[in-house]
Every structure is written in structure tokens, then in C-alpha cells.
């Protein structure tokens, strides 16, 4: 990511410098710096290709800007003017050249605005993605909490079932003990009655 940011910064500075140079050429109509600007454009093109391999969206954006800059340089180079470029001066041609320059400037401004809008859209998409990730993380945490709660409820139900089974078993044993006790009492009463009968009534 550091390489991408460094490359973007270098390319942005170079493109801004080229843009200023072309604006000077368009204003002064002096092509003495044309060769240097062309070399800078070639260097910017190379950097844009390198950037495109690392970040395709930014690379394509800068390549479009560089193509527009190259077209501006070609257009301004073809406009015949008096003085340093041409000894003949045609006001109509000069007017058309000015119109072309104005159109190029408007196109460049539109391209810059489009790039800014794309950057804003990209930033918004990134923020939306981060928000979505945070929501997903919260939902995952809540799901884990619900699962743990469900596990505890299931464990509590198991304990209740085990307790209920124990109570039923204890109740059964109490009933059996009562029946056994009653049986013993009846047997003892029978034995006692037999002894009394034998002792008092058998003679």
C-alpha cells in the first residue's frame, strides 16, 4: 500500500506540473518547452502503467488524464500563430485556436471534477463496506451470545429432567416403603391375633 501511495503522489505531482507547463504554452504560445513537456508526459505514462498494475482504477484514471494532456499539447502545437510559431497571423485561426483551448480547459476541468467524484464515490463505498463489516461482526457476536444462551437453557432443561426423574424415583420408593410397612404391620397384627387366640381361646 505504501508503494501505491508513493507512486500516486509522484504521478499526481508530475501531472500537475505538466498541466501547468501546457497552460503556460497555451498562454504564451511558446513551444520552446514542448520537448521537455513531451518527456514528462512519457514519464507520466510509464508511472501510470506501473500504478495500473498495482491499482487498476487509479491507473486508468491517470492514463485518461495523461491522454487528455497529450491531446492538449498536440492541439496547441497545431495552431498557427504569429511570432515564435508562425510569421503569418490569421485572426480567424487565432480565434479558433482560442476556442479549442477553452474547450480543452473545460474538458480538463470536467475530467478533474469526474476524478474527484470518483474518489468521493470510492471513499463512500469503502466507508459503506467498513460499516457493513462492523454490522456483520456485531451480528456474529450476537449470534454467538444467543447460541451460548440456548446451550445454557438446554443444559438447564437436562438438569430439570434429571431432577424430575429423581423425584419420581424417590416417590416410587416412598410408596414401596409404605406398602412394605403396611404389609409388615398387617403380618404383625395377624401374628399377634394368632398368639392371643391360641393363648386365650384354644383351651
Amino acid at each position: 500500500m505504501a508503494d501505491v501511495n508513493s507512486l500516486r503522489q509522484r504521478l499526481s505531482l508530475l501531472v500537475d506540473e505538466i498541466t501547468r507547463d501546457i497552460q503556460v504554452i497555451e498562454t504564451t504560445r511558446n513551444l520552446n518547452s514542448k520537448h521537455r513537456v513531451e518527456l514528462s508526459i512519457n514519464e507520466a505514462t510509464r508511472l501510470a502503467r506501473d500504478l495500473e498494475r498495482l491499482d487498476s482504477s487509479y491507473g486508468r484514471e491517470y492514463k485518461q488524464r495523461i491522454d487528455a494532456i497529450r491531446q492538449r499539447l498536440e492541439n496547441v502545437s497545431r495552431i498557427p500563430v504569429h511570432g515564435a510559431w508562425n510569421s503569418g497571423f490569421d485572426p480567424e485561426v487565432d480565434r479558433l485556436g482560442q476556442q479549442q483551448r477553452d474547450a480543452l480547459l473545460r474538458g480538463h476541468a470536467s475530467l478533474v471534477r469526474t476524478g474527484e467524484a470518483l474518489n468521493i464515490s470510492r471513499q463512500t463505498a469503502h466507508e459503506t463496506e467498513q460499516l457493513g463489516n462492523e454490522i456483520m461482526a456485531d451480528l456474529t457476536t450476537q449470534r454467538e451470545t444467543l447460541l451460548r444462551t440456548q446451550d445454557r437453557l438446554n443444559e438447564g432443561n437436562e438438569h430439570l429432567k434429571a431432577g424430575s426423574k429423581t423425584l419420581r424415583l424417590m416417590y416410587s420408593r416412598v410408596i414401596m416403603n409404605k406398602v412394605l410397612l403396611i404389609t409388615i404391620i398387617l403380618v404383625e397384627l395377624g401374628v399377634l391375633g394368632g398368639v392371643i387366640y391360641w393363648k386365650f381361646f384354644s383351651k
Side-chain angles (χ1 to χ4, degrees):
M1 182 60 69
D3 294 338
V4 174
N5 292 333
S6 175
L7 192 57
R8 284 172 53 189
Q9 185 176 7
R10 288 175 53 195
L11 185 56
S12 177
L13 293 175
L14 183 57
V15 169
D16 291 341
E17 179 183 352
I18 295 171
T19 302
R20 288 193 297 269
D21 290 340
I22 291 182
Q23 288 175 347
V24 171
I25 293 175
E26 291 173 340
T27 302
T28 63
R29 302 184 181 182
N30 187 345
L31 287 178
N32 292 334
S33 60
K34 178 184 176 183
H35 180 66
R36 178 175 59 81
V37 174
E38 289 176 341
L39 293 178
S40 298
I41 290 176
N42 292 335
E43 175 66 14
T45 301
R46 184 185 64 80
L47 293 177
R49 285 197 297 267
D50 294 340
L51 179 60
E52 187 175 16
R53 285 194 292 268
L54 299 175
D55 190 328
S56 59
S57 60
Y58 277 108
R60 286 194 298 269
E61 176 185 338
Y62 276 104
K63 285 179 67 176
Q64 292 174 357
R65 292 180 60 183
I66 294 169
D67 290 340
I69 290 172
R70 182 181 288 107
Q71 186 62 43
R72 286 178 62 185
L73 182 61
E74 293 177 357
N75 290 339
V76 77
S77 300
R78 288 197 298 265
I79 299 174
V81 295
H82 72 292
W85 291 11
N86 198 324
S87 57
F89 174 69
D90 188 342
E92 180 64 21
V93 172
D94 185 66
R95 183 181 64 81
L96 293 176
Q98 183 63 40
Q99 291 177 352
Q100 288 181 345
R101 287 194 296 273
D102 293 341
L104 287 173
L105 289 174
R106 288 194 298 270
H108 174 69
S110 176
L111 184 61
V112 171
R113 288 193 299 270
T114 301
E116 293 175 351
L118 287 174
N119 290 333
I120 294 174
S121 299
R122 188 180 294 109
Q123 181 66 25
T124 302
H126 180 66
E127 293 175 355
T128 303
E129 182 181 1
Q130 287 183 334
L131 179 61
N133 291 334
E134 292 175 359
I135 293 174
M136 287 297 297
D138 291 339
L139 291 176
T140 301
T141 302
Q142 293 177 7
R143 179 177 179 273
E144 292 175 353
T145 302
L146 290 174
L147 289 176
R148 287 195 296 269
T149 303
Q150 184 179 6
D151 291 339
R152 286 195 292 269
L153 289 175
N154 292 334
E155 184 178 355
N157 288 333
E158 293 297 329
H159 289 319
L160 289 175
K161 290 179 181 179
S164 177
K165 184 177 180 181
T166 302
L167 288 175
R168 287 196 300 270
L169 182 60
M170 291 175 63
Y171 180 75
S172 299
R173 289 180 179 177
V174 169
I175 296 299
M176 290 177 62
N177 289 335
K178 286 184 178 181
V179 171
L180 181 60
L181 180 60
I182 292 172
T183 302
I184 293 173
I185 291 173
L186 291 176
V187 170
E188 289 180 351
L189 289 175
V191 171
L192 181 60
V195 170
I196 293 173
Y197 177 80
W198 176 75
K199 192 170 184 178
F200 294 101
F201 298 103
S202 62
K203 295 180 180 181

